Amino acid sequence: MSTAGTDPAAPPRDSGLRARLRGRSELGVCLLLLVLGVLVLTDAITMDTDITQRGPIGPTTVPIVVGVLLLVVAVLLAVDVLRGGRGEAEGGEDIDLTEPGDWRTVALLTGVFLANAVLIKPLGLPISGALLFWGSAYALGSRNLTRDPLIAAVLSLVTYAVFNNLLGVPLPGGPLMGVL
């Protein structure tokens, strides 16, 4: 059996779909927008609309518009990328693409957001929101142990007050329900 003309150390040649997708990572964004659009539309269509409606616009109108727009943007972006369009870097961008990503920060932020999702019901928004703001500041590099918790608490309480009291959106208060 002759192996003339083939180099076993050479990487395999890309063919077909893989070759056409090389250098088109923007299609991942298209896929994300498509999935988000389908999720938003599915949620809007299956939404319980027993709420008293005032006027022609109901509670499903905005989610349906947003879902449709997400789908339209996903398709238009995919068509542009497949036709050879590429996003341009900002003129003042100072990111060195040869450096690896900061996975520690990504992991810390992911942990903070997941902890908030788990803790918001038992602790309420004021406490879990303060932990979210403080944890995010810590993950992004702030290490001021006196200022950061105070700012986080104020942001969380203001957010709770605006949504719960001014906008009438009921949020979980947790143990602070009777105090706030």
Side-chain angles (χ1 to χ4, degrees):
M1 188 166 164
S2 173
T3 58
T6 61
D7 182 10
R13 299 174 106 198
D14 286 336
S15 62
L17 180 63
R18 192 176 207 171
R20 285 184 285 169
L21 294 178
R22 182 166 303 285
R24 296 184 175 155
S25 60
E26 293 93 347
L27 290 175
V29 175
C30 300
L31 182 63
L32 176 69
L33 292 173
L34 184 74
V35 168
L36 284 175
V38 169
L39 285 173
V40 168
L41 280 175
T42 303
D43 194 38
I45 292 170
T46 60
M47 184 184 295
D48 184 23
T49 56
D50 289 342
I51 301 170
T52 304
Q53 184 174 332
R54 295 181 185 151
I57 297 178
T60 61
T61 305
V62 172
I64 288 174
V65 169
V66 168
V68 168
L69 288 175
L70 282 168
L71 294 177
V72 169
V73 169
V75 169
L76 291 175
L77 182 59
V79 168
D80 181 53
V81 170
L82 292 174
R83 287 185 176 173
R86 295 194 46 88
E88 295 181 22
E90 291 183 25
E93 200 165 323
D94 59 351
I95 297 173
D96 185 5
L97 296 177
T98 61
E99 291 292 318
D102 185 5
W103 292 106
R104 179 182 178 274
T105 301
V106 172
L108 284 172
L109 284 172
T110 302
V112 166
F113 279 97
L114 290 175
N116 184 55
V118 170
L119 296 174
I120 195 165
K121 195 155 193 153
L123 295 181
L125 182 87
I127 295 173
S128 72
L131 293 173
L132 171 72
F133 293 135
W134 189 15
S136 298
Y138 181 85
L140 294 172
S142 181
R143 299 291 188 265
N144 191 321
L145 296 178
T146 54
R147 179 192 64 204
D148 294 346
L150 290 174
I151 292 173
V154 168
L155 277 173
S156 183
L157 288 171
V158 167
T159 302
Y160 179 80
V162 166
F163 277 89
N164 199 54
N165 301 336
L166 296 178
L167 297 176
V169 177
L171 297 173
L176 300 176
M177 192 67 160
V179 178
L180 301 174

